[in-house]
Amino acid sequence: MKLNTDFSQRVVLQTGDLPWVVTPVAGIQRQLLERDGAEVARATSVVRYAPGSQFPNHEHELGEEIFVLDGVFSDESGSFGAGTYLKNPPGSSHAPGSASGCTLLVKLRHLDPDDRQTIAIDTRNTAWFPGMVPGLSVMPLSEFSGQHTALVRWAPGTQFNPHRHYGGEEIYVLVGVFEDEFGRYPAGTWMRSPHLSTHCPFSTEGCTILVKTGHLPVLTLNQA
């Protein structure tokens, strides 16, 4: 399967409008945001576990990032509630499931092969740091070789500077409404902007977003 695999193109999706697609495991469904491959794929998805569902043990050859949107997610390393960020490095394996049900944002096969960090952060109990402009707060989650993942919180009325994305930018809106000169993006919006794209973001109402940068192919905007 190939879905939104042209990394030179900007993509904006509202996950509330997307269908749920069954997986090979009963009780587990996905909303597909981007995918390149079959069951083993470079992919970004919203994944929903029914209570008691579980994947069999499997390996992540190029790693995995998870953000728990609701419920409680579990594997051999523990149980993780809403607001938890997890990074499972390349070569790691687990048998994930959920006793009570959960919903996750999952990114597969995006990590640098040399990134060996295992990370688990409960963002509900982690400090925020001042951002580059008044009203902006940042919670770093992961950094390796130019790839960055973070939560960014915007107070109402916050305006950021125009900037360019080296290695691209990917955003999932968790709370509120994120904005730029191209539109308004309410909670549940997933957007991907290519290498060297530019925008001038702001938030009138305030919002919290999950941001990943520097992980997309370094292509010029006129390349496929």
Side-chain angles (χ1 to χ4, degrees):
M1 172 184 284
K2 287 190 176 292
L3 175 67
N4 295 323
T5 56
D6 183 350
F7 294 111
S8 70
Q9 298 299 308
R10 184 173 182 265
V11 182
V12 179
L13 298 173
Q14 173 49 247
T15 58
D17 297 335
L18 299 178
W20 290 98
V21 178
V22 297
T23 73
V25 177
I28 302 178
Q29 301 173 307
R30 301 185 183 110
Q31 291 176 318
L32 306 180
L33 306 179
E34 62 175 8
R35 194 168 189 87
D36 189 357
E39 189 56 28
V40 176
R42 176 182 173 121
T44 303
S45 312
V46 178
V47 182
R48 183 168 67 185
Y49 286 68
S53 57
Q54 183 170 13
F55 270 111
N57 188 275
H58 57 277
E59 181 177 329
H60 296 296
E61 182 184 1
L62 289 174
E64 174 184 53
E65 288 180 287
I66 294 171
F67 192 87
V68 183
L69 299 172
D70 63 51
V72 179
F73 170 78
S74 301
D75 64 11
E76 298 89 333
S77 62
S79 294
F80 308 97
T84 302
Y85 167 81
L86 302 168
K87 183 170 77 170
N88 298 315
S92 61
S93 63
H94 66 165
S98 180
S100 57
C102 65
T103 308
L104 318 171
L105 180 69
V106 181
K107 292 188 65 61
L108 296 170
R109 301 176 68 87
H110 290 75
L111 298 180
D112 188 300
D114 294 327
D115 186 352
R116 298 299 172 181
Q117 283 184 306
T118 298
I119 296 176
I121 297 174
D122 181 354
T123 66
R124 298 166 300 180
N125 298 300
T126 302
W128 292 87
F129 296 93
M132 295 177 65
V133 298
L136 203 70
S137 301
V138 178
M139 184 186 297
L141 301 174
S142 174
E143 178 180 351
F144 185 86
S145 188
Q147 292 193 29
H148 301 264
T149 304
L151 286 182
V152 183
R153 186 171 62 192
W154 302 65
T158 300
Q159 174 87 45
F160 198 66
N161 306 313
H163 61 281
R164 185 180 300 273
H165 305 126
Y166 189 90
E169 179 186 59
E170 194 171 322
I171 290 172
Y172 185 86
V173 183
L174 295 166
V175 178
V177 181
F178 177 73
E179 301 171 81
D180 63 14
E181 64 269 43
F182 305 114
R184 288 169 50 86
Y185 315 103
T189 301
W190 176 81
M191 53 193 304
R192 190 188 71 203
S193 300
H195 171 59
L196 297 184
S197 57
T198 62
H199 71 159
C200 185
F202 61 96
S203 182
T204 304
E205 294 99 326
C207 65
T208 302
I209 60 177
L210 179 66
V211 182
K212 186 173 178 67
T213 60
H215 61 299
L216 299 181
V218 177
L219 305 172
T220 60
L221 292 179
N222 62 354
Q223 287 180 292

